[in-house]
Amino acid sequence: KAGVTQTPRYLIKTRGQQVTLSCSPISGHRSVSWYQQTPGQGLQFLFEYFSETQRNKGNFPGRFSGRQFSNSRSEMNVSTLELGDSALYLCASSALVAGGDTQYFGPGTRLTVL
Amino acid sequence: GEDVEQSLFLSVREGDSSVINCTYTDSSSTYLYWYKQEPGAGLQLLTYIFSNMDMKQDQRLTVLLNKKDKHLSLRIADTQTGDSAIYFCAEAGGFKTIFGAGTRLFVKA
């Protein structure tokens, strides 16, 4: 099976712009989670989607939003970018309906905000 | 609240054993995980343990779980330079997974 894929791998934006990141889960996986990784804050949970519904959300401002499509692919959007949004954004997919199931990560999208 | 704590750095010599420790707070966690992250890459699942187990061994990896103390450890036997990476401990239960800040393992040749 192909792994989790994320596009693009690298992105450079300027403050005030918006960005959309994409994640394709492993085939058959219906849950997709997004994380922000920075050197100072470590790995922070953004949100999790299952069957096109957001099941869980971390403590991020409303500028961060996401959605999931019927084929389980997910997108994450950040509006009005700030310098502090520079990070590695990781997507993970999992198979089971219940929580606590194993997550498989993509390679990440490295976002740099200038 | 939920929290997972790990020491930030560990340095070992090639061939020695590495032990990375982690404490967590949510006693209802169902699974506990260890992930490895190499530079520029995503997280790779190394191993996991169910909360009703005390120990799990997988080749060079041994996971020990002390549920009473909410303490999890990962032992890497015969550590190699290729084991140099960041190791994340995570607890999972419900619909989310909580990660520690990661332990950076340095392996000296």
Side-chain angles (χ1 to χ4, degrees):
Chain A
K1 273 187 182 176
V4 178
T5 58
Q6 292 186 246
T7 57
R9 290 293 311 279
Y10 302 92
L11 207 48
I12 299 175
K13 292 284 188 179
T14 55
R15 277 183 299 175
Q17 287 187 306
Q18 74 164 17
V19 67
T20 299
L21 312 182
S22 180
C23 171
S24 293
I26 291 171
S27 178
H29 285 192
R30 293 164 66 189
S31 169
V32 174
S33 298
W34 288 90
Y35 295 85
Q36 181 195 64
Q37 186 179 24
T38 57
Q41 297 295 319
L43 205 62
Q44 302 286 313
F45 171 74
L46 279 155
F47 26 65
E48 187 253 354
Y49 286 87
F50 180 84
S51 291
E52 303 177 65
T53 300
Q54 188 181 88
R55 283 199 301 197
N56 214 338
K57 189 177 187 305
N59 297 323
F60 277 81
R63 299 186 298 108
F64 291 82
S65 62
R67 59 178 175 167
Q68 187 180 33
F69 301 95
S70 57
N71 61 358
S72 294
R73 189 177 71 85
S74 177
E75 287 183 348
M76 191 194 95
N77 184 275
V78 188
S79 62
T80 320
L81 283 166
E82 299 177 1
L83 294 178
D85 297 334
S86 293
L88 180 67
Y89 289 88
L90 293 166
C91 160
S93 75
S94 57
L96 300 178
V97 173
D101 42 293
T102 303
Q103 295 189 327
Y104 296 88
F105 282 80
T109 295
R110 184 161 296 281
L111 171 65
T112 302
V113 182
L114 303 175
Chain B
E2 301 147 335
D3 197 14
V4 176
E5 293 190 355
Q6 306 177 234
S7 52
L8 293 182
F9 300 99
L10 176 66
S11 180
V12 299
R13 292 192 180 279
E14 192 175 20
D16 288 350
S17 291
S18 308
V19 178
I20 303 172
N21 294 301
C22 167
T23 57
Y24 61 98
T25 56
D26 188 356
S27 57
S28 66
S29 292
T30 311
Y31 299 81
L32 295 131
Y33 296 93
W34 284 103
Y35 286 86
K36 175 183 180 182
Q37 185 180 35
E38 297 184 72
L43 273 66
Q44 171 198 351
L45 177 67
L46 278 180
T47 186
Y48 65 90
I49 188 167
F50 292 106
S51 58
N52 62 358
M53 296 169 65
D54 298 324
M55 185 183 92
K56 180 178 180 181
Q57 188 150 3
D58 185 359
Q59 300 182 335
R60 291 190 300 123
L61 306 178
T62 302
V63 178
L64 294 177
L65 174 60
N66 181 329
K67 201 171 177 183
K68 174 176 166 290
D69 294 337
K70 299 192 186 71
H71 182 266
L72 183 73
S73 67
L74 174 69
R75 178 176 179 269
I76 305 173
D78 187 25
T79 312
Q80 303 297 306
T81 54
D83 295 325
S84 293
I86 302 175
Y87 291 81
F88 290 89
C89 164
E91 60 172 338
F95 296 130
K96 60 182 176 180
T97 303
I98 307 295
F99 287 81
T103 299
R104 187 177 291 274
L105 176 64
F106 296 95
V107 182
K108 296 176 284 189

